[in-house]
Amino acid sequence: EFRFRFLDEISMLNTGNPLREDTDIGPMSTDAAADAIINMVNQAIEEGAWLLTGGEREDRVVAPLVLENVDDAMCIMQESVPGPIACLQTFDEIDDVLRTFDHPDLHVALFSRDLNRAVHTVQCLSRAHVTINEIPVHHETPERIRRKVDAMTTLRTVVMATSE
């Protein structure tokens, strides 16, 4: 059920000019970056992954890709993917999720009916950003998250003496 709902949501994403308000996914920064995304996906398919949707390319715009039948040994699961790619995996045990995805450079999106379990999983992962029950619109690197937190934080030192 999740796979079909996820693919429906992906199909509604608009690609194109990032200056247009209805654009969800804009172009890659360079032709080489767009080529790299397509090459990573092609390599994953050669390694046994199934392409469920996406992959069309127009100039630097790559339509969102969804892969299934991926495993931890595949290059696409070992490297940070700087583009609109989602790899779907199912797990029976939460420890398998923790073992597989506890890499600080990976962006993790969790989908679960059990919000307490999802929050517990996030607490067990050593990463700066995890998305729960939402399709991430862009990749948040730990550095980008630190900059956002710094921009929203005012550092203060307060010294308080008690009257004794």
Side-chain angles (χ1 to χ4, degrees), residues 1-13 50-53 66-68 88-90 111 113 135:
E1 177 187 347
F2 168 79
R3 181 200 309 136
F4 295 117
R5 290 178 63 190
F6 186 77
L7 291 172
D8 284 344
E9 291 292 321
I10 293 292
S11 72
M12 290 188 280
L13 294 174
W50 304 331
L51 178 64
L52 299 182
T53 191
V66 179
L67 297 172
E68 193 174 44
L88 300 182
Q89 285 185 291
T90 58
F111 295 86
R113 290 187 177 126
I135 298 171

Side-chain angles (χ1 to χ4, degrees), residues 8-38:
D8 284 344
E9 291 292 321
I10 293 292
S11 72
M12 290 188 280
L13 294 174
N14 294 314
T15 60
N17 184 342
L19 299 176
R20 293 186 50 163
E21 197 161 313
D22 65 339
T23 297
D24 297 303
I25 298 176
M28 301 300 296
S29 58
T30 64
D31 288 329
D35 290 340
I37 293 297
I38 298 300

Side-chain angles (χ1 to χ4, degrees), residues 149-158:
V149 169
D150 287 346
M152 295 184 286
T153 304
T154 302
L155 184 61
R156 294 183 181 169
T157 301
V158 177

Side-chain angles (χ1 to χ4, degrees), residues 59-122:
D59 296 322
R60 292 182 181 171
V61 178
V62 178
L65 297 129
V66 179
L67 297 172
E68 193 174 44
N69 197 43
V70 293
D71 66 51
D72 303 342
M74 293 179 175
C75 289
I76 203 159
M77 296 300 291
Q78 298 294 320
E79 301 174 20
S80 180
V81 181
I85 299 175
C87 296
L88 300 182
Q89 285 185 291
T90 58
F91 295 92
D92 293 321
E93 299 295 328
I94 199 69
D95 288 341
D96 294 334
V97 174
L98 296 173
R99 200 171 23 261
T100 300
F101 293 106
D102 199 19
H103 301 285
D105 293 334
L106 294 177
H107 179 113
V108 173
L110 299 173
F111 295 86
S112 177
R113 290 187 177 126
D114 186 338
L115 189 56
N116 288 328
R117 177 181 277 180
V119 169
H120 173 72
T121 302
V122 170

Side-chain angles (χ1 to χ4, degrees), residues 37-57:
I37 293 297
I38 298 300
N39 292 338
M40 288 180 90
V41 170
N42 287 338
Q43 181 177 356
I45 291 169
E46 288 174 14
E47 293 174 331
W50 304 331
L51 178 64
L52 299 182
T53 191
E56 299 82 14
R57 179 178 172 193

